[in-house]
Amino acid sequence: MNSGPLPAGSGSEIERLKSWVAAKFPVYETRLTPQSLILLVHADPATVERQFDALRQDLWERFYIPQLRYERGEYLIEIVRRPARQPWGLLVNVVLLAATIVSTVAAGGFLWVAYVGGSALQPTDFVLGGLTFALPLLLILGVHELAHYVMARRHHVEASLPFFIPVPPPFLLFGTFGAFISLREPIPDKKALLDIGASGPLAGFALSIPITLYGMVLSVHAPILSVANCGPSVFGINYGNFLFGQSLLWELIGAFFPAGLAHLSPVALAGWVGILVTAINLLPAGQLDGGHVFRALLGDRSRYVSYVAVGLLFLLGFFYSGWFLFAVLILVLGMRHPPPLNDLTPLDWKRWAVGFLAISVLISGFVIIPIGTPTGGFTLQNPASSPAPSPGGGGFASNLSMTVSNLDEVDHGFVFNGSVVRVVAGTANGTSQPLNGSALQSYLANSSWTVHLPDGNVSTTNGSGKFSISSTEYATILSETSATVTVTYSNTLEATVTILLYASEVCSGSFQGVGPLDQEFTVF
């Protein structure tokens, strides 16, 4: 079949088209444009939807596409040639599915190790990660796309099987960008547009809920991990150090489970991804599922909603950079949704109800900041020193204290370090001078440190000018709370000593001195 515009004149092709249309609608005027044939027809509003859909299917088989319009009190049917294109074969679907299984199983393995508290990956981790994360996630994505496919076939619209999109972790945390189907012919009317657009998100959402609930039950019984367990790190991506944004729906689900969940199971994360992907697909822009739904509900006015949606994505990009990329992608693919072939037949109340249900899923499932990492931020405040009982045999002792404020939304483990950085001792002639070299080392050998950690543990170091609390002795400071660490330094010899105390967050490696700058404790 030739492609391109219809030929000028009144040749046999034009006459055939007129006869095919006349079999469904009485034709009373013919107009030929450089690109199409326009036929003015008589139509009964009660039967026009059924008759036009039959004509659409008939002409599609003959490699033509009709479009129905109503202008100035007249029904017009415009016919163009069906574009010639070669659909991808089934092999492409199979290869992409296999690659996505591999990439999501790999991501599941990393998430499983973070869930159980491991650090080194074993072959069994990928098996368990595949069962607990890749399998439920691919089921959600597959059901989403198959619902589109089934609904398209129900409306006699040619569609491909799902194409899954693999992304090897850690470039994308979950190993996939989702899936899509290709509609190989225009959507016939607003009813089909809404049915096809809403069916996928609603089906995927319906499966995401029980998967999420089951995953939350598993999370309640998750292994108890220390805050010093940082999880596996792959190419600089730490799979045990993520914060997952909570949508309105997620907040509602979480209300029925203990608020202090240490971490989410891979099954719960698969449900979380399913809910988020559903909400993103329902954004009212371009060829997204939400673009279909809003075009069916609002007609051509939906373009204004698309402009607002893309504008909001750019605004939200200042909070989460991924929205910038998503907004640009929508602009590249096109913001304005083309009309269905029959843009006249109104929706019934059931489809309006489905449309509002889809909008409620969008609102309840969307997350402004989907994924983040704890900043590891903390402050050191209120440095103070006070005399302490001197050690036996003379010398001096001093209590040093500082408050550590955990600024993150999650608990953190902290370790502490301290060192003597300067010693000034008296001389025989009554003057003072800094100690250096062997004299300094001899003085520091008489040092003692007693560290009282916020959790009640005590650590003692003798005979050294410094102390260090290792990661095995970390102190837990709960999210958005403060705790005080107290250090008692003593020496059997008198001198003026300058001491620095430091705190370090175990997983992020943040390291700060006292206060906004490295403040010193000078004690005698």
Side-chain angles (χ1 to χ4, degrees), residues 118-285:
S119 57
L121 286 163
Q122 303 295 330
T124 54
D125 294 323
F126 292 108
V127 175
L128 294 170
L131 293 175
T132 58
F133 177 75
L135 178 60
L137 178 58
L138 292 179
L139 280 176
I140 292 171
L141 298 177
V143 166
H144 179 125
E145 298 306 327
L146 284 176
H148 283 315
Y149 177 83
V150 170
M151 194 58 67
R153 300 303 298 167
R154 180 178 178 183
H155 285 279
H156 306 287
V157 176
E158 284 192 16
S160 71
L161 290 173
F163 294 95
F164 288 83
I165 308 174
V167 180
F171 304 107
L172 185 70
L173 172 63
F174 304 116
T176 178
F177 270 130
F180 68 94
I181 67 168
S182 174
L183 296 178
R184 293 170 176 168
E185 62 177 296
I187 297 178
D189 53 44
K190 288 190 286 189
K191 293 180 180 179
L193 184 59
L194 188 133
D195 290 350
I196 295 172
S199 59
L202 294 183
F205 179 79
L207 183 57
S208 297
I209 297 302
I211 287 176
T212 299
L213 293 175
Y214 177 60
M216 294 296 278
V217 171
L218 295 178
S219 299
V220 171
H221 301 91
I224 298 176
L225 305 181
S226 74
V227 293
N229 187 290
C230 305
S233 183
V234 185
F235 296 110
I237 303 297
N238 190 333
Y239 273 72
N241 199 32
F242 282 103
L243 295 175
F244 298 96
Q246 297 190 17
S247 62
L248 293 176
L249 178 63
W250 195 265
E251 293 277 3
L252 177 62
I253 292 174
F256 295 94
F257 294 89
L261 291 178
H263 53 289
L264 295 175
S265 73
V267 178
L269 288 176
W272 180 90
V273 174
I275 293 172
L276 178 63
V277 167
T278 297
I280 292 175
N281 270 288
L282 283 171
L283 287 170

Side-chain angles (χ1 to χ4, degrees), residues 454-520:
D455 54 12
N457 291 329
V458 178
S459 176
T460 300
T461 303
N462 296 314
S464 174
K466 58 185 178 181
F467 77 89
S468 177
I469 303 298
S470 68
S471 58
T472 60
E473 300 176 292
Y474 68 91
T476 299
I477 300 181
L478 303 180
S479 64
E480 301 177 333
T481 64
S482 300
T484 299
V485 57
T486 301
V487 178
T488 299
Y489 174 78
S490 63
N491 198 297
T492 57
L493 302 176
E494 292 187 352
T496 300
V497 179
T498 301
I499 296 173
L500 285 181
L501 297 183
Y502 296 89
S504 177
E505 195 274 298
V506 174
C507 285
S508 73
S510 299
F511 199 71
Q512 299 185 14
V514 176
L517 299 174
D518 289 343
Q519 290 186 357
E520 299 176 342

Side-chain angles (χ1 to χ4, degrees), residues 6-348:
L6 295 173
S10 57
S12 58
E13 183 177 9
I14 305 301
E15 293 304 318
R16 286 197 305 271
L17 287 170
K18 289 174 60 178
S19 66
W20 292 333
V21 173
K24 302 289 190 301
F25 300 95
V27 179
Y28 64 88
E29 186 177 333
T30 302
R31 301 172 186 173
L32 189 62
T33 74
Q35 300 293 329
S36 63
L37 174 66
I38 298 177
L39 301 174
L40 278 66
V41 301
H42 294 292
D44 181 357
T47 61
V48 64
E49 179 184 1
R50 184 177 67 254
Q51 291 292 90
F52 179 77
D53 195 54
L55 175 66
R56 175 191 67 85
Q57 296 180 51
D58 186 30
L59 291 185
W60 178 261
E61 296 297 327
R62 293 182 165 102
F63 293 90
Y64 295 96
I65 300 173
Q67 185 175 28
L68 177 66
R69 300 201 303 272
Y70 187 75
E71 298 178 356
R72 300 183 180 88
E74 296 179 301
Y75 286 98
L76 290 77
I77 295 178
E78 184 173 12
I79 303 173
V80 297
R81 277 202 179 119
R82 172 178 155 187
R85 60 180 178 179
Q86 184 66 34
W88 292 346
L90 182 61
L91 180 61
V92 177
N93 301 82
V94 174
V95 170
L96 288 176
L97 174 60
T100 306
I101 291 174
V102 172
S103 61
T104 53
V105 166
F110 302 144
L111 293 171
W112 175 262
V113 171
Y115 173 62
V116 297
S119 57
L121 286 163
Q122 303 295 330
T124 54
D125 294 323
F126 292 108
V127 175
L128 294 170
L131 293 175
T132 58
F133 177 75
L135 178 60
L137 178 58
L138 292 179
L139 280 176
I140 292 171
L141 298 177
V143 166
H144 179 125
E145 298 306 327
L146 284 176
H148 283 315
Y149 177 83
V150 170
M151 194 58 67
R153 300 303 298 167
R154 180 178 178 183
H155 285 279
H156 306 287
V157 176
E158 284 192 16
S160 71
L161 290 173
F163 294 95
F164 288 83
I165 308 174
V167 180
F171 304 107
L172 185 70
L173 172 63
F174 304 116
T176 178
F177 270 130
F180 68 94
I181 67 168
S182 174
L183 296 178
R184 293 170 176 168
E185 62 177 296
I187 297 178
D189 53 44
K190 288 190 286 189
K191 293 180 180 179
L193 184 59
L194 188 133
D195 290 350
I196 295 172
S199 59
L202 294 183
F205 179 79
L207 183 57
S208 297
I209 297 302
I211 287 176
T212 299
L213 293 175
Y214 177 60
M216 294 296 278
V217 171
L218 295 178
S219 299
V220 171
H221 301 91
I224 298 176
L225 305 181
S226 74
V227 293
N229 187 290
C230 305
S233 183
V234 185
F235 296 110
I237 303 297
N238 190 333
Y239 273 72
N241 199 32
F242 282 103
L243 295 175
F244 298 96
Q246 297 190 17
S247 62
L248 293 176
L249 178 63
W250 195 265
E251 293 277 3
L252 177 62
I253 292 174
F256 295 94
F257 294 89
L261 291 178
H263 53 289
L264 295 175
S265 73
V267 178
L269 288 176
W272 180 90
V273 174
I275 293 172
L276 178 63
V277 167
T278 297
I280 292 175
N281 270 288
L282 283 171
L283 287 170
Q287 293 293 319
L288 297 175
D289 295 340
H292 296 336
V293 171
F294 278 82
R295 183 59 178 77
L297 294 175
L298 303 178
D300 193 48
R301 292 170 296 176
S302 64
R303 69 181 186 273
Y304 300 115
V305 183
S306 295
Y307 300 152
V308 172
V310 173
L312 286 176
L313 286 177
F314 276 111
L315 181 62
L316 294 178
F318 290 101
F319 301 94
Y320 179 71
S321 60
W323 297 130
F324 280 130
L325 299 177
F326 201 72
V328 171
L329 180 62
I330 292 175
L331 289 176
V332 171
L333 297 178
M335 292 176 56
R336 194 164 181 175
H337 194 292
L341 299 179
N342 172 10
D343 203 17
L344 304 179
T345 304
L347 300 175
D348 52 40

